[in-house]
Amino acid sequence: IKSSVLSGYRKHAPSNSSMALLRSFFKTLIFATAAIIAIGVLAGGAASIIGAEAISLLFGPNVACYAYLLIPMIACSLFTGFYLFLSDLLLSIREFKGNCLSGVLSLLAALPLALILVDKYNMNGVSFTGTAAYAIASVVALVFLGIKVGKGTKS
């Protein structure tokens, strides 16, 4: 009786190689996320220190007054990059429904947010809208990623 119970467990328990693959997957996910955050911190710090001077040098002094747009734009770019990374992960594990749904929900959130945030924050409203929409898409993508990876460890 004991051996039949254990053999049934072994059929459903993840193997050592699949657990090693799962650990490697999460290490890569954490490393890429940390790299995106580090790039954001560096870019935000550089923009806050030399943003106006760099814009003035590149585009002329008349454009330097728009340097306040840099930090929200960098935040939006970071969330865009993070979501695209998650989207690629979803596609690589063949989670097409989650990838599509995260994009659709992002769009549905962006439509009303754009009306509200652009009206309230003018040019920064566009960056705030993109940041919020991609944050929503990233959360949805992470949920689907967790579900799919969790199912993979049980099969």
Side-chain angles (χ1 to χ4, degrees), residues 38-55 67 70-71 74:
I39 290 168
V41 169
L42 290 173
S48 65
I49 294 169
I50 62 166
E53 291 82 9
I55 287 178
L70 281 176
I71 302 295
I74 290 169

Side-chain angles (χ1 to χ4, degrees), residues 51-86:
E53 291 82 9
I55 287 178
S56 181
L57 182 65
L58 291 171
F59 302 108
N62 293 340
V63 183
C65 62
Y66 297 108
Y68 69 96
L69 297 170
L70 281 176
I71 302 295
M73 197 181 324
I74 290 169
C76 183
S77 297
L78 289 173
F79 274 93
T80 302
F82 184 63
Y83 170 67
L84 292 176
F85 169 67
L86 292 175

Side-chain angles (χ1 to χ4, degrees), residues 12-24:
H12 300 291
S15 67
N16 286 338
S17 62
S18 68
M19 289 305 289
L21 188 62
L22 188 61
R23 279 192 295 276
S24 174

Side-chain angles (χ1 to χ4, degrees), residues 4-138:
S4 66
V5 170
L6 290 177
S7 66
Y9 171 74
R10 285 187 194 114
K11 289 179 185 174
H12 300 291
S15 67
N16 286 338
S17 62
S18 68
M19 289 305 289
L21 188 62
L22 188 61
R23 279 192 295 276
S24 174
F25 177 81
F26 280 112
K27 280 183 184 177
T28 303
L29 177 64
I30 290 168
F31 178 77
T33 302
I36 290 170
I37 291 169
I39 290 168
V41 169
L42 290 173
S48 65
I49 294 169
I50 62 166
E53 291 82 9
I55 287 178
S56 181
L57 182 65
L58 291 171
F59 302 108
N62 293 340
V63 183
C65 62
Y66 297 108
Y68 69 96
L69 297 170
L70 281 176
I71 302 295
M73 197 181 324
I74 290 169
C76 183
S77 297
L78 289 173
F79 274 93
T80 302
F82 184 63
Y83 170 67
L84 292 176
F85 169 67
L86 292 175
S87 175
D88 286 347
L89 282 179
L90 287 174
L91 291 174
S92 70
I93 63 171
R94 304 181 61 77
E95 179 53 62
F96 304 118
K97 181 174 66 171
N99 191 42
C100 183
L101 189 60
S102 65
V104 168
L105 290 176
S106 173
L107 173 66
L108 292 176
L111 294 173
L113 283 173
L115 294 173
I116 296 165
L117 295 175
V118 171
D119 186 46
K120 186 170 183 173
Y121 298 105
N122 297 318
M123 289 189 281
N124 269 333
V126 176
S127 296
F128 295 156
T129 299
T131 301
Y134 281 122
I136 290 167
S138 295

